[in-house]
Amino acid sequence: MQKIIIIGAGLCGTLLAIRLGQRGYEVQMYEKRGDMRKEGVEAGRSINLALSHRGLMALEQAGLADAVREYCIPMKGRQIHTLAGQSFHSPYSGRSADYINSVSRSGLNIALLNEADKMDHVNIAFNHKCNGVNLDVGTANLVNLESGKNFTDEGAVVIGTDGAGSSVRRSMMGQTTKLRFHYEQSFLEHGYKELTIPPGPNGTYRIEKNALHIWPRDEFMIIALPNLDGSFTVTMFHPYGGEYGLDNLTTKDKVAAFFKKFFPTLIPHTPDYLEDFFKNPTGTLGTIRCAPWQAYGRTLVMGDAAHAIVPFYGQGMNASFEDVRVFDDILDANEGNWEKIFKEFQTARIENARAIGDLALDNFYEMQDKVNDEVFIKKRNLERQLEDQFPDYYSKYSLVTFQPKLPYAEAMARGRRQDEFLMELCAKEELPDLEKVMEAVRSLS
Ligand SMILES: Cc1cc2nc3c(=O)[nH]c(=O)nc-3n(C[C@H](O)[C@H](O)[C@H](O)COP(=O)(O)OP(=O)(O)OC[C@H]3O[C@@H](n4cnc5c(N)ncnc54)[C@H](O)[C@@H]3O)c2cc1C
């Protein structure tokens, strides 16, 4: 079988290596970081993630979903914490099987690395950085970060799964005219910072375990996802500017006063929040769109390298795993013809990647200020009743999150039509009976 070079042994690259290894390809992966199984993981870099149906479906294809489910924590809905100190639960769906899962990023990556390591013809070289790809011939320029030695490696194809700062994509950008390469990068005026809620006594959970917690406060918000040891990873999504912006929260006194004003109920659960705040880095939040994703049938980008998105739909990793699943399906039909495979993959995915990028931005605004809004809450309640009574009703969130066979672009179009209609309906005093609402919703599809 041919040799395939994969740049980046993160979530997407490792799952791809496993699938290609399962198909019998010889896979050579290069990862610029050290082996996280030996060296640990840097602090403050999205410790846990929400894994949902799309990601699980791709893991299923590789025969790994059951093993991964073992260390997932189901999150059945959002637990909203208001400024007034109230807390209420808002289920993700009226269907009990539709929930998302909190999973450790490093735990999942390590499980995938271990699986890849079991395969004779999959090899992972850590501490090897790719500095670019010679697109015309499909060779990768690499440096061994331990020895400092530069070298070139050649395979049938090179696939870049090297994340948002992709070196492979940068090589494509170097041929802007020849490839008619289009590139867009936009950042939110918000960054993120991670804090921790430690476990309670004997590994108990200090707040509801099976929920994604949100403290929405208009232009800023905090979320928390549970970990297996009883702790929660808390993420502040916070603007840089403004009176309470990150650029102004420069002393412990200022941060303490800010938390007292806006997150008083969180303080007792986060004893080290001041230390965490100053110790942990601030991450940026951006969207990357580019095209084409392939060059000359020799090089391809996939995952965040092709379509980094903001994390507010919890879909970046899920979309990257879905890339692998769709790529795999396309390989089935076209094995041997890389140019055709790459082009078909791009056609199948690019519009959907754009859609989930847009949806993630929409959800940023929804999570920040709508989850507290009366009409929005009324609409969510109505949707739950609809999901409960009509098997063919799916909210926009459910279409995106729990309908893995529906492409993102279709989920977005249908979901937006429904949302608009239901928000208008819920702004009125009296709601028509459910049958009538459902009839109207059906007519929108
Ligand atoms: C705060 C936050 C929260 C998130 N929450 C969720 C969530 O709840 N659910 C969800 O689905 N997604 C979430 N995401 C998105 C998710 O993290 C990404 O979509 C996912 O990690 C993409 O996987 P990837 O393998 O494409 O890229 P990455 O995970 O970034 O992996 C890229 C790998 O390539 C390596 N690499 C980079 N450059 C080179 C080079 N030059 N040479 C060799 N190796 C290189 C890196 O070291 C890394 O190991 C979140 C993201 C953030 C920032």
Side-chain angles (χ1 to χ4, degrees):
M1 270 299 215
Q2 291 173 307
K3 172 176 164 185
I4 296 175
I5 295 175
I6 297 179
I7 307 296
L11 296 167
C12 181
T14 319
L15 181 61
L16 178 67
I18 292 168
R19 269 316 284 149
L20 292 173
Q22 287 170 341
R23 284 176 167 272
Y25 286 101
E26 185 195 339
V27 180
Q28 176 62 54
M29 297 188 87
Y30 291 106
E31 167 56 49
K32 74 173 178 189
R33 294 199 171 96
D35 187 343
M36 61 170 69
R37 293 167 294 185
K38 296 179 191 142
E39 297 176 15
V41 190
E42 63 192 287
R45 194 176 166 269
S46 90
I47 287 166
N48 53 21
L49 301 151
L51 171 67
S52 48
H53 288 29
R54 290 177 196 266
L56 282 165
M57 193 171 163
L59 289 166
E60 194 87 60
Q61 197 169 38
L64 301 170
D66 287 342
V68 170
R69 275 195 193 96
E70 295 276 304
Y71 48 90
C72 281
I73 301 179
M75 297 184 289
K76 307 262 179 183
R78 296 165 171 166
Q79 187 77 25
I80 313 293
H81 303 266
T82 69
L83 185 55
Q86 284 132 356
S87 163
F88 62 91
H89 188 75
S90 171
Y92 281 121
S93 158
R95 297 178 182 86
S96 59
D98 287 349
Y99 53 81
I100 61 175
N101 301 280
S102 178
V103 66
S104 149
R105 175 192 284 274
S106 57
L108 181 54
N109 211 151
I110 285 171
L112 294 174
L113 289 169
N114 286 340
E115 200 58 37
D117 261 351
K118 285 185 200 159
M119 294 175 183
D120 290 342
H121 44 285
V122 175
N123 184 50
I124 313 171
F126 294 98
N127 295 306
H128 280 70
K129 184 176 175 213
C130 174
N131 284 326
V133 173
N134 308 305
L135 299 174
D136 307 306
V137 285
T139 56
N141 299 326
L142 297 139
V143 55
N144 177 332
L145 296 174
E146 286 172 325
S147 67
K149 191 173 158 244
N150 289 295
F151 65 102
T152 298
D153 197 6
E154 180 173 9
V157 291
V158 178
I159 304 183
T161 52
D162 48 349
S166 172
S167 62
V168 179
R169 191 187 63 231
R170 220 175 309 122
S171 295
M172 292 180 172
M173 288 169 78
Q175 294 201 5
T176 305
T177 320
K178 228 166 137 193
L179 290 171
R180 295 194 299 285
F181 196 79
H182 168 85
Y183 177 72
E184 267 175 79
Q185 172 180 291
S186 57
F187 286 103
L188 291 183
E189 293 298 318
H190 283 59
Y192 73 93
K193 194 177 269 295
E194 293 197 333
L195 312 172
T196 306
I197 297 178
N202 305 319
T204 51
Y205 290 83
R206 289 167 184 254
I207 52 177
E208 168 58 43
K209 175 185 175 187
N210 294 112
L212 188 154
H213 294 262
I214 310 182
W215 290 259
R217 300 291 184 266
D218 295 330
E219 83 266 36
F220 35 81
M221 72 166 166
I222 287 182
I223 67 166
L225 273 71
N227 297 312
L228 287 172
D229 65 355
S231 68
F232 287 79
T233 302
V234 177
T235 310
M236 295 177 71
F237 293 105
H238 207 79
Y240 290 98
E243 186 185 352
Y244 299 109
L246 289 166
D247 295 341
N248 245 334
L249 293 178
T250 48
T251 64
K252 283 194 173 177
D253 284 348
K254 283 187 181 177
V255 176
F258 166 75
F259 267 76
K260 258 188 209 132
K261 188 171 164 76
F262 293 101
F263 302 103
T265 55
L266 184 59
I267 295 175
H269 300 306
T270 50
D272 298 326
Y273 76 98
L274 287 175
E275 287 72 27
D276 286 351
F277 186 93
F278 288 101
K279 187 181 70 195
N280 289 340
T282 303
T284 51
L285 296 166
T287 303
I288 289 173
R289 304 180 203 268
C290 67
W293 288 359
Q294 71 91 32
Y296 318 121
R298 299 293 306 261
T299 306
L300 178 76
V301 283
M302 163 180 318
D304 272 16
H307 50 75
I309 61 176
V310 294
F312 303 103
Y313 234 104
Q315 285 292 320
M317 164 189 64
N318 286 287
S320 303
F321 282 175
E322 192 174 69
D323 280 353
V324 177
R325 181 181 65 77
V326 172
F327 186 74
D328 205 26
D329 290 344
I330 292 172
L331 257 178
D332 272 342
N334 303 286
E335 204 130 26
N337 186 346
W338 289 111
E339 184 151 18
K340 187 152 186 271
I341 291 164
F342 287 4
K343 284 187 171 159
E344 284 202 7
F345 173 71
Q346 176 182 305
T347 306
R349 293 303 286 163
I350 218 159
E351 187 195 348
N352 291 310
R354 184 166 278 273
I356 190 57
D358 287 345
L359 284 162
L361 285 166
D362 288 356
N363 224 31
F364 170 57
Y365 300 105
E366 180 174 314
M367 284 170 88
Q368 265 195 141
D369 54 23
K370 286 225 193 90
V371 285
N372 263 337
D373 176 276
E374 260 179 48
V375 177
F376 182 81
I377 293 169
K378 196 167 155 192
K379 175 184 149 267
R380 283 299 301 143
N381 287 336
L382 172 62
E383 287 191 298
R384 255 194 320 283
Q385 291 175 49
L386 290 170
E387 287 193 322
D388 212 26
Q389 295 203 18
F390 303 98
D392 58 332
Y393 181 77
Y394 286 86
S395 69
K396 183 175 80 181
Y397 185 85
S398 291
L399 290 169
V400 173
T401 309
F402 305 126
Q403 287 285 284
K405 289 185 183 152
L406 188 70
Y408 283 123
E410 283 178 43
M412 178 174 79
R414 204 167 122 192
R416 280 184 173 171
R417 279 197 300 273
Q418 273 177 203
D419 267 6
E420 207 176 307
F421 168 73
L422 293 176
M423 282 301 274
E424 264 176 36
L425 202 65
C426 289
K428 296 177 187 153
E429 291 275 303
E430 291 278 313
L431 289 178
D433 72 59
L434 281 185
E435 282 288 349
K436 286 219 170 81
V437 176
M438 193 56 210
E439 243 172 66
V441 168
R442 284 192 190 109
S443 73
L444 296 171
S445 307

